[in-house]
Amino acid sequence: PPPPLPPEDKVLVPIEVCLKPSSTVSIHDVRSAIEGMLEKRSLSYNGGPIPVPLDEPFLADNVQRICVCDAGEGMQNDNVLLFWQVKPVVHVFQLSEEGPCEDISSDGQSSSFNEWILPAKEFDGMWESLIYESGLKQRLLRYAASALLFTEKAVDPFLVSWNRIILLHGPPGTGKTSLCKALAQKLSIRFNSRYTQAQLVEVNAHSLFSKWFSESGKLVAKLFQKIQEMVEEESNLVFVLIDEVESLAAARKAALSGSEPSDSIRVVNALLTQMDKLKSSPNVIILTTSNITAAIDIAFVDRADIKAYVGPPTLQARYEILRSCLQELMRTGILTSFEDCKNTVLPNYASAKQRMNAPNFHEATTSMQLCKQLVETAEACEGMSGRSLRKLPFLAHAALANPFDCNPIKFLSSMVDTAKRERSEL
Ligand code: ADP
């Protein structure tokens, strides 16, 4: 092999190591063991999880899985990542199984926010399942990482200004809320050596206003008091997710036109003031989403540092979403009727296209036929949101004449029909 690259030329490759729920060993010990393993074996890697080494009892007993993340830049010849050419950065974590802790208000009604301990079992795999073509996920991750670093190094905000508010906007069902949760989960894993605890508070802005307005003011106060308490603990990384922020602007506008009590203005203002106060805490990231770009309160837009438009999936993203659906139905044995269905790996969009354009392409093999049909299905789904696409296989299955004899080729044509019907009903 060629000599290893000098340290400054090495690409950092994050390795995420998930501990078994039963494991009680220290994260530090596992990290050292994994680093030792990577050094010793000079592994090469071409996608998928790295198998947990069975001949190392300490790791075999405690580790559930080892994943290589964002390997793209370090991948060389034939998509192989050679570990002596990159610098692995090992992150060891254990998922919280506590579930959401819904805050119950004094009158026994469920209130407007949910709280999670991160990394949470419920959000496991969410980041990977969200597919965007434009490098959006990487951009968000890098942005948040820089923001946390600037804060940690105490960069003077009067000299260099930045904040920790992210706004994702775009049509409904494009994965904005999921992306916020997945980002919080990712950051809680990547920054767990600096912040030993992480929490996510999820607030639905709309629900703040759908209650009695006199209650809304109290709700906002209570919510932020709680967040303030979390933030005071310096080793706690806190994410505040505010969904549907367009309802703030709507409430303000309605109040101005006299159709809603002026109380609502006070609630909006209270929320903005509280957010400004939170901004001075270094260990908070505020994540917001809006379904309507035009109607977001201007006061709000100004506060956000990163504003990203999240649009409907492109052809390539639609293919990848449907591919992951199909792969899951094959894994679980819902799609059958051709040999070795369980172990068939459908090619990604780029290699599907490449194979279809090759001069010797012929549809003889089932997997090639499948992949051509998948491209056609993705084409037929133009304009559909990610959310609709993830539901499509279920609807298509329910529409089959014989759901127990489920051949993938038949299934895909049912998907095209279902997509056409869904789109006509939009
Ligand atoms: P929004 O907040 O934009 O309305 P959600 O986060 O509620 O959207 O998305 C709902 C679901 O739709 C997600 O959990 C995911 O399963 C699916 N989805 C949406 N967009 C995508 C995408 N780009 N890639 C994969 N799945 C997606």
Side-chain angles (χ1 to χ4, degrees):
L5 294 173
E8 65 275 14
D9 288 350
K10 286 190 177 177
V11 179
L12 301 183
V13 174
I15 314 268
E16 293 181 354
V17 180
C18 181
L19 293 180
K20 290 182 179 169
S22 58
S23 168
T24 52
V25 291
S26 96
I27 281 182
H28 182 81
D29 292 347
V30 179
R31 192 190 309 133
S32 309
I34 296 273
E35 282 166 353
M37 174 192 103
L38 292 175
E39 240 164 68
K40 209 161 52 200
R41 305 192 179 206
S42 67
L43 285 171
S44 70
Y45 165 79
N46 55 4
I50 301 183
V52 181
L54 295 174
D55 56 343
E56 295 196 28
F58 176 69
L59 291 177
D61 286 348
N62 292 292
V63 171
Q64 185 160 319
R65 65 184 143 90
I66 308 172
C67 292
V68 179
C69 309
D70 336 315
E73 289 172 51
M75 294 279 211
Q76 296 185 346
N77 331 318
D78 298 325
N79 273 349
V80 174
L81 177 75
L82 302 163
F83 276 105
W84 35 270
Q85 298 285 46
V86 301
K87 182 172 166 39
V89 188
V90 178
H91 306 278
V92 182
F93 66 98
Q94 195 163 30
L95 294 169
S96 157
E97 302 198 337
E98 252 179 60
C101 154
E102 201 182 342
D103 188 87
I104 306 292
S105 56
S106 47
D107 55 8
Q109 277 186 325
S110 69
S111 87
S112 321
F113 53 97
N114 271 327
E115 199 190 318
W116 310 77
I117 301 205
L118 298 179
K121 197 174 162 211
E122 287 83 352
F123 305 150
D124 193 31
M126 210 181 222
W127 179 263
E128 291 71 24
S129 78
L130 292 166
I131 298 161
Y132 300 100
E133 224 182 290
S134 46
L136 173 68
K137 293 200 295 184
Q138 281 326 308
R139 190 154 67 94
L140 289 175
L141 202 55
R142 286 185 181 178
Y143 166 81
S146 296
L148 287 173
L149 180 72
F150 273 44
T151 318
E152 197 185 320
K153 299 281 179 197
V155 174
D156 183 344
F158 291 122
L159 301 179
V160 181
S161 99
W162 81 100
N163 64 35
R164 292 173 301 281
I165 302 182
I166 295 176
L167 169 67
L168 300 182
H169 62 94
T174 47
K176 299 179 294 299
T177 311
S178 311
L179 186 53
C180 287
K181 290 179 175 168
L183 179 66
Q185 174 101 338
K186 265 280 136 168
L187 291 168
S188 75
I189 293 170
R190 299 281 173 95
F191 283 84
N192 70 357
S193 47
R194 166 68 184 81
Y195 300 97
T196 50
Q197 267 205 73
Q199 275 159 301
L200 168 70
V201 180
E202 181 187 15
V203 193
N204 184 289
H206 183 71
S207 74
L208 282 180
F209 296 103
S210 57
K211 309 240 163 180
W212 298 105
F213 282 110
S214 58
E215 284 292 303
S216 299
K218 273 191 238 159
L219 267 176
V220 172
K222 195 173 146 202
L223 170 67
F224 278 88
Q225 194 195 341
K226 183 152 193 171
I227 295 172
Q228 207 65 51
E229 279 164 24
M230 294 175 177
V231 166
E232 270 158 30
E233 180 57 58
E234 211 209 291
S235 62
N236 208 358
L237 182 57
V238 181
F239 298 93
V240 181
L241 165 58
I242 309 178
D243 240 340
E244 300 182 30
V245 289
E246 67 272 16
S247 53
L248 301 182
R252 215 204 290 246
K253 218 161 127 200
L256 287 178
S257 70
S259 62
E260 259 178 45
S262 58
D263 264 358
S264 64
I265 289 204
R266 248 176 282 146
V267 177
V268 174
N269 290 344
L271 195 77
L272 293 175
T273 316
Q274 294 285 3
M275 275 177 52
D276 284 340
K277 255 202 229 157
L278 263 192
K279 248 173 40 183
S280 63
S281 312
N283 50 341
V284 176
I285 292 190
I286 300 178
L287 307 158
T288 62
T289 76
S290 172
N291 286 330
I292 316 164
T293 301
I296 314 174
D297 204 303
I298 193 73
F300 203 90
V301 176
D302 279 349
R303 281 170 171 82
D305 237 6
I306 196 164
K307 297 161 214 143
Y309 174 75
V310 185
T314 57
L315 174 61
Q316 177 169 350
R318 293 198 300 275
Y319 176 93
E320 294 299 342
I321 294 173
L322 293 176
R323 175 167 80 106
S324 68
C325 292
L326 223 59
Q327 204 76 63
E328 179 63 6
L329 295 182
M330 286 171 21
R331 182 188 73 83
T332 49
I334 297 223
L335 286 185
T336 49
S337 299
F338 86 88
E339 301 148 50
D340 205 22
C341 204
K342 264 198 163 112
N343 296 318
T344 303
V345 177
L346 295 167
N348 67 22
Y349 185 75
S351 43
K353 272 302 212 195
Q354 204 177 19
R355 282 198 230 169
M356 281 164 59
N357 291 334
N360 57 355
F361 173 77
H362 56 91
E363 288 178 42
T365 65
T366 324
S367 99
M368 262 346 279
Q369 199 186 343
L370 206 59
C371 138
K372 181 164 174 274
Q373 232 182 321
L374 194 56
V375 173
E376 286 163 8
T377 314
E379 280 163 357
C381 292
E382 193 178 353
M384 285 176 74
S385 73
R387 183 190 283 146
S388 315
L389 284 174
R390 289 231 178 265
K391 276 188 201 147
L392 195 61
F394 174 76
L395 297 176
H397 184 267
L400 284 173
N402 179 359
F404 295 107
D405 165 34
C406 198
N407 161 316
I409 303 287
K410 262 194 234 159
F411 182 73
L412 276 173
S413 37
S414 165
M415 257 201 337
V416 173
D417 295 341
T418 314
K420 281 188 188 138
R421 201 176 57 232
E422 287 286 299
R423 285 182 53 192
S424 70
E425 286 170 7
L426 277 181

